[in-house]
DNA sequence: GACATGTATTTGATAGATCAAATACATGTC
DNA sequence: GACATGTATTTGATCTATCAAATACATGTC
């Protein structure tokens, strides 16, 4: 009994489940990061991405890709971060359309604390999942561009 | 070389990746479902959840859980769906605080088409992932409450 | 049966993100 | 070097979801 029935039904349920789980997960992280450092998950991801980047700077459009946001969403996300002095704006000498994001000393300092918090929070939320399985899902997620 | 470094760093990268991928994925689905049926992914999930429910009705708070939204978010999500006649509101005889959501014939009809679209869209987006792995990951996601 | 406490839902104010259009610049072609 | 086309970013209007507080009802206790 119980015909699971084909035609993308598994894929659909996976998507619905992903949607639900991610909403819950990011809300948790948002709350905790916000309480500890006054940062949302996306705020944190900006700082982290910039810090990881080759020259310590990223193009705004690359941030959009890394966050899964639109360019417009990035503009609005960065606005308050720049205003409170966590990030700065750097021009590109070759191409005046491009604007890089870099960390200020303050941003860098805040990140160093937030990074450890974020890691602990994540570990707390999904630490019970075996590392191998985690990496499997991670590579699956990478395939979703 | 390359020390991955412990203490929840894998967990953190997983969360960031999950956040990015889900944003992209749901935006895709939103666009396509919206073009075909005028429904967002969450709209669709509401119809689908209600249709799946035991008596064809769900409490609003249960919908919140299934969608990963807050109760307040559900209220606002359902409002237009009720207004355009896809769902109705049913009272609970025993407990006047509770309000159930049920499909109207129109909602049910729309769902029958949207369900097949949604399944195809999902298949399209993540069909390349082996089914076994999908189910494994789905159960992983279930463990995130 | 009045009262304190708890649960389900809604509401007001606000943040976060989207889209479509605008701006500003770059690049190739004639 | 003017022009059509394309890319990076920002802006205006709008939508979605949040939080905190309010409402409405239920339940246990005294």
């Amino acid at each position: 009994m119980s015909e699971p029935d084909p035609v993308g039904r598994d894929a659909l349920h996976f998507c619905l489940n992903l949607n639900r789980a991610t909403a819950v997960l990011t809300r948790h992280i948002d709350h905790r990061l916000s309480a500890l450092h006054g940062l949302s998950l996306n705020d944190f991801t900006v700082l982290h991405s910039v810090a990881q980047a080759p020259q310590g700077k990223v193009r705004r459009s690359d941030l959009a890709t890394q966050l899964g946001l639109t360019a417009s969403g990035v503009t609005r996300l960065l606005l308050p971060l720049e205003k409170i002095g966590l990030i700065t704006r750097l021009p590109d000498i070759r191409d005046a359309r491009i604007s890089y994001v870099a960390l200020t000393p303050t941003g860098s300092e805040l990140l160093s604390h937030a990074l450890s918090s974020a890691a602990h929070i994540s570990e707390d939320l999904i630490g019970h999942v075996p590392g191998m399985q985690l990496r499997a899902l991670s590579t699956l997620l990478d395939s979703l561009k």
Side-chain angles (χ1 to χ4, degrees), chain A:
Chain A
M1 57 180 175
S2 95
E3 312 249 1
D5 149 22
V7 192
R9 220 44 81 83
D10 279 350
L12 174 58
H13 284 123
F14 176 77
C15 290
L16 299 185
N17 214 359
L18 189 68
N19 189 37
R20 176 196 58 73
T22 303
V24 172
L25 197 84
T26 64
R27 213 166 36 242
H28 270 266
I29 300 180
D30 264 339
H31 283 151
R32 297 178 62 180
L33 269 187
S34 165
L36 291 170
H37 307 285
L39 294 174
S40 72
L41 174 56
N42 279 349
D43 291 338
F44 167 78
T45 307
V46 167
L47 302 186
H48 184 245
S49 286
V50 174
Q52 296 289 301
Q55 314 295 327
K57 62 181 187 181
V58 210
R59 294 192 316 181
R60 299 163 106 73
S61 60
D62 289 341
L63 270 182
T65 306
Q66 293 180 49
L67 285 156
L69 296 183
T70 61
S72 165
V74 167
T75 294
R76 300 191 135 101
L77 175 60
L78 297 186
L79 209 57
L81 296 181
E82 188 174 0
K83 193 161 292 175
I84 64 178
L86 299 178
I87 60 175
T88 347
R89 178 181 294 260
L90 298 179
D92 183 310
I93 301 171
R94 305 294 178 89
D95 188 336
R97 292 170 303 176
I98 294 176
S99 173
Y100 293 97
V101 182
L103 295 185
T104 62
T106 312
S108 189
E109 164 76 5
L110 178 53
L111 173 62
S112 74
H113 299 128
L115 180 55
S116 134
S117 300
H120 278 97
I121 295 168
S122 306
E123 181 69 20
D124 212 33
L125 291 171
I126 61 172
H128 61 91
V129 178
M132 207 190 67
Q133 208 176 349
L134 214 59
R135 278 185 292 275
L137 184 49
S138 251
T139 59
L140 189 169
L141 293 176
D142 278 328
S143 73
L144 307 177
K145 298 296 186 192

